[in-house]
Coordinates of all heavy atoms in Angstrom, one line a residue:
Chain A
V582 N -17.1 -13.5 -6.2 CA -16.5 -12.8 -5.0 C -17.0 -11.4 -4.9 O -17.0 -10.6 -5.9 CB -15.0 -12.8 -5.1 CG1 -14.4 -12.2 -3.7 CG2 -14.4 -14.2 -5.3
I583 N -17.5 -11.0 -3.8 CA -17.7 -9.6 -3.5 C -17.0 -9.2 -2.2 O -16.5 -10.1 -1.5 CB -19.2 -9.2 -3.4 CG1 -19.8 -9.7 -2.1 CG2 -20.0 -9.7 -4.6 CD1 -21.0 -8.8 -1.7
A584 N -16.8 -7.9 -2.0 CA -16.1 -7.4 -0.8 C -17.1 -6.7 0.1 O -18.1 -6.0 -0.4 CB -15.0 -6.4 -1.2
V585 N -17.0 -6.8 1.4 CA -17.8 -6.1 2.4 C -16.8 -5.4 3.4 O -16.0 -6.1 4.0 CB -18.7 -7.1 3.2 CG1 -19.6 -6.3 4.2 CG2 -19.6 -7.9 2.2
L586 N -16.9 -4.1 3.5 CA -16.0 -3.4 4.4 C -16.7 -2.8 5.6 O -17.9 -2.3 5.4 CB -15.3 -2.2 3.6 CG -14.9 -2.4 2.2 CD1 -14.2 -1.2 1.7 CD2 -14.0 -3.7 2.1
E587 N -16.1 -2.8 6.7 CA -16.6 -2.1 7.9 C -15.5 -1.3 8.5 O -14.4 -1.8 8.8 CB -17.1 -3.1 8.9 CG -17.8 -2.5 10.1 CD -17.7 -3.3 11.4 OE1 -16.7 -4.0 11.6 OE2 -18.7 -3.3 12.1
W647 N -27.6 -3.7 8.4 CA -26.4 -4.5 8.2 C -26.7 -6.0 8.1 O -26.3 -6.7 7.2 CB -25.4 -4.2 9.3 CG -24.1 -5.0 9.4 CD1 -23.9 -6.1 10.2 CD2 -22.9 -4.8 8.6 NE1 -22.6 -6.5 9.9 CE2 -22.0 -5.8 9.0 CE3 -22.6 -3.9 7.6 CZ2 -20.7 -5.9 8.4 CZ3 -21.3 -4.0 7.0 CH2 -20.4 -5.0 7.4
L651 N -26.5 -8.5 4.8 CA -25.7 -9.7 4.7 C -26.7 -10.9 4.5 O -26.3 -11.9 3.8 CB -24.9 -9.9 6.0 CG -23.9 -8.8 6.3 CD1 -23.0 -9.2 7.4 CD2 -23.0 -8.5 5.1
L654 N -27.2 -11.2 0.9 CA -26.0 -11.9 0.3 C -26.1 -13.4 0.5 O -25.9 -14.1 -0.5 CB -24.8 -11.4 1.0 CG -24.0 -10.2 0.5 CD1 -22.8 -9.9 1.4 CD2 -23.6 -10.4 -0.9
Q655 N -26.4 -13.8 1.7 CA -26.5 -15.2 2.0 C -27.6 -15.9 1.2 O -27.4 -17.0 0.6 CB -26.7 -15.5 3.5 CG -25.4 -15.1 4.3 CD -25.6 -14.8 5.7 OE1 -26.7 -14.4 6.1 NE2 -24.6 -15.1 6.6
Y659 N -23.9 -16.4 -1.3 CA -22.6 -16.0 -0.9 C -22.3 -16.5 0.6 O -23.1 -16.3 1.5 CB -22.4 -14.5 -0.9 CG -22.3 -14.0 -2.3 CD1 -23.4 -13.7 -3.1 CD2 -21.1 -13.8 -2.9 CE1 -23.3 -13.2 -4.4 CE2 -20.9 -13.4 -4.2 CZ -22.1 -13.1 -5.0 OH -22.0 -12.7 -6.3
R660 N -21.2 -17.1 0.7 CA -20.7 -17.4 2.1 C -20.0 -16.2 2.6 O -19.0 -15.7 2.0 CB -19.7 -18.6 2.0 CG -19.3 -19.0 3.4 CD -18.2 -20.1 3.4 NE -18.7 -21.4 2.8 CZ -18.0 -22.4 2.5 NH1 -16.7 -22.4 2.8 NH2 -18.5 -23.5 2.0
V661 N -20.4 -15.6 3.7 CA -19.8 -14.4 4.2 C -18.7 -14.8 5.2 O -18.9 -15.4 6.2 CB -20.9 -13.5 5.0 CG1 -20.2 -12.3 5.5 CG2 -22.1 -13.2 4.0
V662 N -17.5 -14.4 4.7 CA -16.2 -14.8 5.5 C -15.6 -13.6 6.1 O -15.2 -12.6 5.4 CB -15.2 -15.4 4.5 CG1 -13.9 -15.7 5.2 CG2 -15.8 -16.7 3.8
A663 N -15.6 -13.5 7.4 CA -15.1 -12.4 8.2 C -13.6 -12.6 8.5 O -13.2 -13.6 9.1 CB -15.8 -12.3 9.5
M664 N -12.8 -11.7 8.0 CA -11.3 -11.9 8.1 C -10.9 -11.3 9.5 O -11.1 -10.1 9.7 CB -10.6 -11.1 7.0 CG -11.0 -11.5 5.6 SD -10.0 -12.8 4.9 CE -8.5 -12.0 4.6
T665 N -10.3 -12.1 10.3 CA -9.9 -11.7 11.6 C -8.7 -12.6 12.1 O -8.7 -13.8 11.8 CB -11.0 -11.8 12.6 OG1 -10.5 -11.6 13.9 CG2 -11.7 -13.2 12.6
P666 N -7.7 -12.0 12.8 CA -6.7 -12.9 13.3 C -7.2 -13.8 14.5 O -6.5 -14.8 14.8 CB -5.6 -11.9 13.8 CG -6.2 -10.5 13.8 CD -7.5 -10.6 13.1
N667 N -8.3 -13.4 15.0 CA -8.8 -14.1 16.3 C -9.7 -15.3 16.0 O -10.8 -15.3 16.4 CB -9.5 -13.1 17.2 CG -8.6 -11.9 17.5 OD1 -7.4 -12.1 17.8 ND2 -9.2 -10.7 17.4
T668 N -9.1 -16.3 15.3 CA -9.9 -17.5 15.0 C -8.8 -18.6 14.7 O -7.7 -18.3 14.3 CB -10.9 -17.3 13.9 OG1 -11.5 -18.6 13.6 CG2 -10.1 -16.9 12.6
D669 N -9.2 -19.8 14.9 CA -8.3 -20.9 14.5 C -8.5 -21.3 13.0 O -7.7 -22.1 12.5 CB -8.5 -22.1 15.4 CG -8.0 -21.8 16.8 OD1 -7.1 -21.0 17.0 OD2 -8.6 -22.4 17.8
R670 N -9.6 -20.9 12.4 CA -9.9 -21.4 11.1 C -9.1 -20.5 10.1 O -9.1 -19.3 10.1 CB -11.4 -21.2 10.8 CG -11.8 -22.0 9.6 CD -13.2 -21.6 9.3 NE -14.1 -22.0 10.4 CZ -14.9 -23.1 10.4 NH1 -14.9 -23.9 9.4 NH2 -15.7 -23.3 11.5
T671 N -8.4 -21.3 9.2 CA -7.6 -20.5 8.2 C -8.5 -20.1 7.0 O -9.6 -20.6 6.8 CB -6.5 -21.4 7.6 OG1 -7.0 -22.5 6.8 CG2 -5.6 -22.0 8.7
L672 N -8.0 -19.1 6.3 CA -8.7 -18.6 5.1 C -9.0 -19.7 4.1 O -10.1 -19.9 3.6 CB -7.8 -17.5 4.5 CG -8.3 -16.9 3.2 CD1 -9.7 -16.2 3.4 CD2 -7.3 -15.9 2.7
A673 N -8.0 -20.6 3.9 CA -8.1 -21.7 3.0 C -9.3 -22.6 3.4 O -10.1 -23.0 2.6 CB -6.8 -22.5 2.8
E674 N -9.3 -22.9 4.7 CA -10.4 -23.7 5.2 C -11.8 -23.0 5.1 O -12.8 -23.6 4.7 CB -10.2 -24.1 6.7 CG -9.0 -25.0 7.0 CD -8.6 -25.0 8.4 OE1 -9.1 -24.2 9.2 OE2 -7.6 -25.7 8.7
A675 N -11.8 -21.7 5.3 CA -13.0 -21.0 5.3 C -13.7 -20.8 4.0 O -14.9 -20.8 3.8 CB -12.8 -19.6 5.9
V676 N -12.8 -20.8 2.9 CA -13.4 -20.6 1.6 C -13.6 -22.0 0.8 O -14.2 -22.0 -0.2 CB -12.6 -19.7 0.7 CG1 -12.5 -18.3 1.4 CG2 -11.2 -20.2 0.4
A677 N -13.0 -23.0 1.4 CA -13.1 -24.3 0.7 C -14.5 -24.7 0.4 O -15.4 -24.7 1.2 CB -12.4 -25.4 1.6
A679 N -16.7 -23.3 -1.2 CA -17.7 -22.2 -1.4 C -17.8 -21.9 -2.9 O -16.8 -21.6 -3.6 CB -17.4 -21.0 -0.6
K681 N -19.6 -19.1 -3.9 CA -19.5 -17.7 -3.9 C -19.1 -17.2 -2.5 O -19.6 -17.8 -1.5 CB -20.9 -17.0 -4.3 CG -21.4 -17.5 -5.7 CD -22.7 -16.9 -6.0 CE -23.1 -17.2 -7.4 NZ -24.0 -16.3 -8.0
V682 N -18.3 -16.2 -2.5 CA -17.8 -15.7 -1.2 C -17.9 -14.2 -1.1 O -17.6 -13.5 -2.1 CB -16.3 -16.1 -1.1 CG1 -15.7 -15.5 0.2 CG2 -16.1 -17.6 -1.1
A683 N -18.3 -13.7 0.1 CA -18.2 -12.3 0.4 C -17.1 -12.2 1.4 O -17.2 -12.7 2.5 CB -19.5 -11.8 1.0
V684 N -16.0 -11.5 1.0 CA -14.9 -11.3 1.9 C -15.1 -10.0 2.7 O -15.2 -8.9 2.1 CB -13.6 -11.1 1.0 CG1 -12.4 -10.9 1.9 CG2 -13.3 -12.4 0.2
M685 N -15.2 -10.2 4.0 CA -15.5 -9.0 4.9 C -14.2 -8.7 5.7 O -13.6 -9.5 6.4 CB -16.6 -9.4 5.9 CG -17.1 -8.3 6.7 SD -18.0 -8.9 8.1 CE -19.5 -9.5 7.4
V686 N -13.8 -7.4 5.6 CA -12.7 -6.9 6.3 C -13.0 -5.7 7.1 O -14.0 -4.9 6.7 CB -11.5 -6.6 5.4 CG1 -10.9 -7.8 4.7 CG2 -11.9 -5.5 4.3
G687 N -12.3 -5.4 8.2 CA -12.6 -4.3 9.1 C -11.4 -3.3 9.2 O -10.4 -3.4 8.4
A688 N -11.6 -2.4 10.0 CA -10.6 -1.3 10.2 C -9.2 -1.9 10.6 O -9.1 -2.8 11.3 CB -11.1 -0.3 11.3
P691 N -8.3 -2.1 15.1 CA -9.3 -2.8 15.8 C -9.9 -4.0 15.0 O -10.4 -5.0 15.6 CB -10.4 -1.8 16.1 CG -10.1 -0.7 15.1 CD -8.7 -0.7 14.8
G692 N -9.9 -4.0 13.7 CA -10.5 -5.0 12.9 C -12.0 -5.0 12.9 O -12.6 -3.9 13.3
L693 N -12.6 -6.0 12.5 CA -14.1 -6.1 12.5 C -14.7 -6.1 13.9 O -14.1 -6.6 14.8 CB -14.5 -7.4 11.8 CG -14.3 -7.5 10.3 CD1 -14.5 -8.9 9.8 CD2 -15.3 -6.6 9.6
T694 N -15.8 -5.4 14.0 CA -16.5 -5.5 15.3 C -17.2 -6.8 15.5 O -17.4 -7.6 14.6 CB -17.6 -4.4 15.4 OG1 -18.6 -4.7 14.3 CG2 -17.1 -3.0 15.2
E695 N -17.4 -7.2 16.8 CA -18.1 -8.5 17.1 C -19.4 -8.5 16.4 O -19.8 -9.5 15.8 CB -18.3 -8.6 18.6 CG -17.2 -9.4 19.3 CD -17.1 -10.8 18.8 OE1 -18.1 -11.5 18.6 OE2 -16.0 -11.2 18.4
H696 N -20.1 -7.4 16.4 CA -21.4 -7.2 15.8 C -21.3 -7.6 14.3 O -22.2 -8.4 13.8 CB -21.8 -5.8 16.0 CG -22.8 -5.3 15.0 ND1 -24.1 -5.8 14.8 CD2 -22.7 -4.3 14.0 CE1 -24.7 -5.1 13.9 NE2 -23.9 -4.3 13.3
A697 N -20.3 -7.1 13.6 CA -20.1 -7.5 12.2 C -19.8 -9.0 12.0 O -20.4 -9.6 11.2 CB -19.0 -6.6 11.6
M698 N -19.0 -9.5 12.9 CA -18.5 -10.9 12.7 C -19.7 -11.8 13.1 O -19.8 -12.9 12.5 CB -17.3 -11.1 13.6 CG -16.1 -10.5 13.0 SD -14.5 -11.1 13.8 CE -14.5 -10.2 15.3
R699 N -20.5 -11.5 14.0 CA -21.6 -12.4 14.3 C -22.6 -12.6 13.2 O -23.2 -13.6 13.1 CB -22.4 -11.8 15.5 CG -21.9 -12.4 16.9 CD -22.9 -12.2 18.0 NE -23.3 -10.9 18.2 CZ -22.7 -10.0 19.0 NH1 -21.6 -10.4 19.7 NH2 -23.1 -8.8 19.1
A700 N -22.6 -11.6 12.3 CA -23.5 -11.7 11.1 C -22.9 -12.5 10.0 O -23.5 -12.8 9.0 CB -23.9 -10.3 10.6
A701 N -21.6 -12.9 10.1 CA -20.9 -13.6 9.1 C -21.2 -15.1 9.2 O -21.6 -15.6 10.3 CB -19.4 -13.4 9.2
D702 N -20.9 -15.9 8.2 CA -21.1 -17.3 8.2 C -19.9 -18.0 8.9 O -20.0 -19.0 9.6 CB -21.2 -17.9 6.8 CG -22.5 -17.5 6.1 OD1 -23.5 -17.9 6.7 OD2 -22.4 -16.8 5.1
V703 N -18.7 -17.4 8.7 CA -17.5 -18.1 9.2 C -16.4 -17.0 9.4 O -16.4 -16.0 8.7 CB -17.1 -19.2 8.2 CG1 -16.8 -18.6 6.8 CG2 -15.8 -19.9 8.7
R704 N -15.5 -17.2 10.4 CA -14.4 -16.4 10.6 C -13.1 -17.0 10.0 O -13.0 -18.3 10.0 CB -14.2 -16.1 12.1 CG -15.4 -15.5 12.7 CD -15.3 -15.2 14.2 NE -16.6 -14.9 14.7 CZ -16.9 -14.2 15.8 NH1 -15.9 -13.7 16.5 NH2 -18.1 -13.9 16.1
A705 N -12.2 -16.2 9.5 CA -11.1 -16.8 8.8 C -9.8 -15.9 9.1 O -9.9 -14.7 9.1 CB -11.3 -16.9 7.3
K706 N -8.7 -16.6 9.3 CA -7.5 -15.9 9.5 C -6.5 -16.2 8.4 O -6.4 -17.3 7.8 CB -6.9 -16.2 10.8 CG -6.3 -17.6 10.9 CD -5.5 -17.8 12.2 CE -5.1 -19.2 12.3 NZ -4.4 -19.5 13.6
I707 N -5.6 -15.2 8.1 CA -4.4 -15.5 7.3 C -3.4 -15.9 8.3 O -3.1 -15.1 9.2 CB -4.0 -14.2 6.5 CG1 -5.1 -13.8 5.5 CG2 -2.6 -14.5 5.8 CD1 -4.8 -12.4 4.9
P708 N -2.8 -17.1 8.2 CA -1.9 -17.5 9.3 C -0.6 -16.6 9.2 O 0.0 -16.4 8.2 CB -1.5 -18.9 8.9 CG -2.6 -19.4 8.0 CD -3.1 -18.2 7.3
V718 N -4.9 -3.6 5.6 CA -6.3 -4.1 5.3 C -6.5 -4.4 3.8 O -7.2 -5.4 3.5 CB -7.3 -3.2 5.9 CG1 -7.3 -1.8 5.3 CG2 -8.7 -3.8 5.7
S721 N -4.6 -7.7 3.1 CA -5.4 -8.8 3.6 C -6.6 -9.1 2.7 O -6.8 -10.3 2.4 CB -5.9 -8.5 5.0 OG -4.9 -8.2 5.9
A722 N -7.3 -8.0 2.3 CA -8.4 -8.2 1.4 C -8.0 -8.9 0.1 O -8.7 -9.8 -0.4 CB -9.1 -6.9 1.2
I724 N -5.5 -10.9 -0.5 CA -5.3 -12.3 -0.3 C -6.6 -13.0 -0.1 O -6.8 -14.1 -0.6 CB -4.4 -12.5 1.0 CG1 -3.0 -12.0 0.6 CG2 -4.3 -14.0 1.4 CD1 -2.0 -12.0 1.8
G725 N -7.6 -12.4 0.6 CA -8.9 -13.0 0.7 C -9.6 -13.1 -0.7 O -10.1 -14.2 -1.0
F726 N -9.5 -12.1 -1.5 CA -10.1 -12.2 -2.8 C -9.4 -13.3 -3.6 O -10.1 -14.1 -4.3 CB -9.9 -10.9 -3.6 CG -10.5 -9.6 -2.9 CD1 -10.0 -8.4 -3.2 CD2 -11.6 -9.7 -2.1 CE1 -10.5 -7.3 -2.6 CE2 -12.1 -8.6 -1.5 CZ -11.6 -7.4 -1.7
A728 N -7.8 -16.0 -2.6 CA -8.1 -17.3 -2.0 C -9.5 -17.7 -2.4 O -9.8 -18.9 -2.7 CB -7.9 -17.3 -0.5
A729 N -10.4 -16.7 -2.4 CA -11.8 -17.0 -2.8 C -12.0 -17.3 -4.3 O -12.9 -18.1 -4.7 CB -12.7 -15.9 -2.3
Chain B
Y790 N 1.6 -15.9 0.0 CA 0.5 -16.7 0.5 C 0.3 -18.0 -0.2 O 0.2 -19.1 0.3 CB -0.8 -15.8 0.5 CG -2.0 -16.6 0.9 CD1 -2.3 -16.7 2.3 CD2 -2.8 -17.2 0.0 CE1 -3.4 -17.4 2.7 CE2 -3.9 -17.9 0.4 CZ -4.2 -18.0 1.7 OH -5.3 -18.8 2.1

Side-chain angles (χ1 to χ4, degrees):
Chain A
V582 186
I583 73 153
V585 182
L586 319 186
E587 184 206 36
W647 175 258
L651 297 191
L654 271 178
Q655 288 160 333
Y659 285 87
R660 185 185 296 175
V661 180
V662 176
M664 306 270 286
T665 170
N667 303 316
T668 176
D669 289 333
R670 194 186 301 255
T671 67
L672 177 60
E674 291 162 357
V676 301
K681 300 178 176 205
V682 175
V684 176
M685 189 198 286
V686 295
L693 288 165
T694 60
E695 263 302 310
H696 156 64
M698 287 195 283
R699 268 200 302 271
D702 291 301
V703 59
R704 302 178 191 206
K706 69 168 175 188
I707 298 168
V718 61
S721 299
I724 291 175
F726 301 153
Chain B
Y790 175 83

